[in-house]
Amino acid sequence: MTSSIRLALTLAVSLAIVPAAFAAPPTKTGKTDKGNVLTDAKGMTLYTFDKDADGKSACNGPCATNWPVLKAEATDAPGDGYTIIARDDGSRQWAYKGKPLYTFAKDQKPGDITGDGFLNGAWHLAMP
């Protein structure tokens, strides 16, 4: 292989890797009365659900209406503790440290944490 072909291949691979390495995380950090939590892009608190297991969401149907998922787009790439799981309906959802992430429909503004402890303690604030 000539050095110019090798250089071109190296450059192509580097350019393919760079966007994924510098992709922004799908969450932000926000402050609440209970400390720092993960939030979505709008600043809404994110939650985890005890019934989720092994990177699979147990919150579907009416549950997902009350607990909207943090959706991942087809072009999103995992990294820095974030993974993408496939949902039962075929959509994609962000997970942090293996736990799928959700907002709570009853939270009205950034900083609200009304879902913490819901359903006999099964819902928890997602902590950074």
Side-chain angles (χ1 to χ4, degrees):
M1 185 180 316
T2 68
S3 61
S4 60
I5 292 173
R6 230 179 289 140
L7 178 62
L9 287 173
T10 301
L11 180 59
V13 168
S14 297
L15 290 174
I17 293 171
V18 168
F22 287 60
T27 66
K28 297 182 178 194
T29 301
K31 293 187 183 283
T32 70
D33 291 342
K34 293 188 177 180
N36 290 339
V37 297
L38 295 178
T39 70
D40 67 6
K42 296 176 187 173
M44 300 303 290
T45 302
L46 293 170
Y47 298 88
T48 60
F49 186 38
D50 284 346
K51 294 185 179 183
D52 292 342
D54 299 326
K56 177 158 177 38
S57 173
C59 183
N60 296 288
C63 178
T65 300
N66 292 319
W67 297 91
V69 305
L70 183 60
K71 290 184 181 181
E73 302 300 327
T75 56
D76 289 337
D80 289 334
Y82 292 93
T83 55
I84 298 172
I85 64 165
R87 295 186 48 76
D88 288 353
D89 65 3
S91 64
R92 296 163 36 106
Q93 178 179 3
W94 281 108
Y96 182 63
K97 295 183 179 178
K99 296 181 179 192
L101 297 171
Y102 309 83
T103 57
F104 185 44
K106 292 186 180 181
D107 283 351
Q108 299 296 307
K109 63 186 182 316
D112 283 355
I113 54 172
T114 60
D116 189 37
F118 198 80
L119 194 62
N120 296 319
W123 289 94
H124 307 279
L125 299 172
M127 307 300 252

